Amino acid sequence: MKAVLCKSYGPPENLTLEEIPDPQPAAGQVLIDIHAAGLNFPDTLQIAGKYQFQPPFPFIPGAEVAGTITQVGEGVTDFEVGHRVMALPGIGGMAQRVVADAAAVDPIPDAMDFETAAGFGLIYHTSYHALKQRADLQPGETLLVLGASGGVGLAAVEIGKAFGAHVIAAASTDEKLAIAQQHGADELINYGDGALKDKVKKLTGGKGADVIYDPVGGDLFDQATRCVNWKGRILVVGFTSGTIPKYPTNLALLKGCQLVGVFWGDFRRREPELCRKNCAELFDLYEQGRLKPLISQVFPLEQYVEALNVFINRQAVGKIVLGFDR
């Protein structure tokens, strides 16, 4: 099969596309013929050696895929050859085939195509877990979403609306904000001028947001800590700005607020039953038409450098996917 290999840390240009033997499923695993693979900002961190999980060299980047099962390992009873599935193997997605633990595989709803399925798992699971289990977002509360046009940001906007929240979408350009508005945002904030705190307070009558969803970090996080409401929750989702900020704990005292970490991968491992319940609820929302994933760009496997550089150049809107001709 063709696969993108990372043999040493560096930029996307450092990767190579090679022919390697097909993987074989072990007990409890399935082999998936990949039709589409979702890309994410952490993929660029992993190939640069800056992610919290670093597999040994050589490895195939790519954490999420969608395709058809071509082989099942010993002990697998929930899936059969030919099933349409989405999977989160962690690595191995930027290839024509991948093995995945059966526990990390879900059937694709009949109404969902492969490209949408490849871009659904990580962003919607992360945002759903963040807003439901970590923030306990309630109807009528104000949710501020930073990076609102990106994958997890748009998912948070949609899920926040589904939960009955008043959603403020924040992004760096009016073009990105227009996309967030199309996905249900009630209010818009352009922080391209570096200003966030005062704009949030103006929109909330000086109170601040009840829940702040932050996948960006950096200076925006610093401002977010100063525009959170009394008893608010600040969700630490990621650091696409490239800067991990420090938290002034005196603000937690003054605001009576919570700083809440969101690590969906470990949640899935530690609480699998609750994670499966989330998945069923997400599929219900999708089938009701309340979640409308945006697949903004589809690249062939051979254009993996261009695809990953969309993230590095801060140009990602919605979901970026590799598509495979089948």
Side-chain angles (χ1 to χ4, degrees):
M1 68 175 186
K2 292 181 180 179
V4 176
L5 297 180
C6 181
K7 298 181 178 180
S8 62
Y9 295 133
E13 290 79 3
N14 197 49
L15 302 172
T16 60
L17 180 62
E18 300 183 17
E19 291 273 355
I20 64 172
D22 289 352
Q24 296 298 314
Q29 294 184 323
V30 298
L31 177 65
I32 300 171
D33 199 10
I34 299 174
H35 290 247
L39 301 183
N40 300 277
F41 179 73
D43 295 329
T44 68
L45 297 178
Q46 193 171 59
I47 64 174
K50 299 178 181 179
Y51 195 55
Q52 57 257 35
F53 166 60
Q54 293 298 143
F57 295 122
F59 67 89
I60 303 169
E64 56 181 337
V65 302
T68 56
I69 292 179
T70 59
Q71 192 175 341
V72 297
E74 182 182 354
V76 175
T77 58
D78 292 336
F79 298 101
E80 298 178 358
V81 172
H83 278 177
R84 298 170 71 250
V85 296
M86 61 175 73
L88 297 165
I91 58 172
M94 297 177 69
Q96 291 178 314
R97 297 173 192 86
V98 68
V99 292
D101 293 339
V105 177
D106 289 296
I108 298 175
D110 292 340
M112 187 180 289
D113 59 63
F114 285 116
E115 290 175 356
T116 300
F120 190 89
L122 280 177
I123 60 173
Y124 281 97
H125 275 292
T126 296
S127 293
Y128 199 84
H129 169 55
L131 297 177
K132 184 172 185 179
Q133 280 88 29
R134 304 303 290 147
D136 190 26
L137 181 66
Q138 296 298 307
E141 288 191 311
T142 296
L143 167 66
L144 169 65
V145 180
L146 307 184
S149 68
V152 291
L154 275 180
V157 168
E158 292 184 337
I159 293 167
K161 289 302 298 178
F163 284 1
H166 184 79
V167 178
I168 302 174
S172 60
T173 69
D174 290 341
E175 292 77 13
K176 291 179 178 180
L177 288 172
I179 293 170
Q181 188 173 41
Q182 292 167 10
H183 285 256
D186 298 295
E187 308 276 2
L188 308 174
I189 291 178
N190 185 328
Y191 54 63
D193 57 2
L196 175 69
K197 179 187 72 172
D198 293 340
K199 294 178 181 180
V200 173
K201 288 195 171 183
K202 183 178 180 180
L203 283 178
T204 58
K207 294 179 179 180
D210 298 300
V211 175
I212 299 178
Y213 183 100
D214 180 17
V216 181
D219 177 65
L220 288 175
F221 173 85
D222 295 334
Q223 294 189 58
T225 62
R226 291 166 169 80
C227 61
V228 62
N229 198 3
W230 173 252
K231 291 187 178 180
R233 290 84 78 199
I234 304 171
L235 298 169
V236 180
V237 183
F239 313 102
T240 58
S241 68
T243 302
I244 299 177
K246 295 182 179 179
Y247 181 53
T249 54
N250 63 304
L251 292 178
L253 184 153
L254 295 172
K255 296 279 190 176
C257 67
Q258 303 173 48
L259 182 68
V260 185
V262 178
F263 186 10
W264 177 78
D266 226 32
F267 164 71
R268 180 181 67 167
R269 181 180 66 84
R270 294 172 181 270
E271 302 180 61
E273 290 299 326
L274 187 54
C275 186
R276 280 192 283 272
K277 185 173 184 294
N278 283 0
C279 185
E281 292 170 1
L282 280 167
F283 285 164
D284 284 344
L285 288 173
Y286 175 81
E287 291 173 344
Q288 293 168 22
R290 301 175 73 182
L291 304 180
K292 299 178 181 179
L294 172 62
I295 308 299
S296 61
Q297 292 178 274
V298 180
F299 293 86
L301 179 62
E302 291 76 13
Q303 293 181 15
Y304 61 89
V305 173
E306 292 91 332
L308 290 171
N309 274 330
V310 172
F311 297 97
I312 292 175
N313 295 330
R314 307 282 189 250
Q315 297 170 332
V317 173
K319 194 69 179 184
I320 310 300
V321 169
L322 294 179
F324 296 71
D325 293 330
R326 295 296 179 190

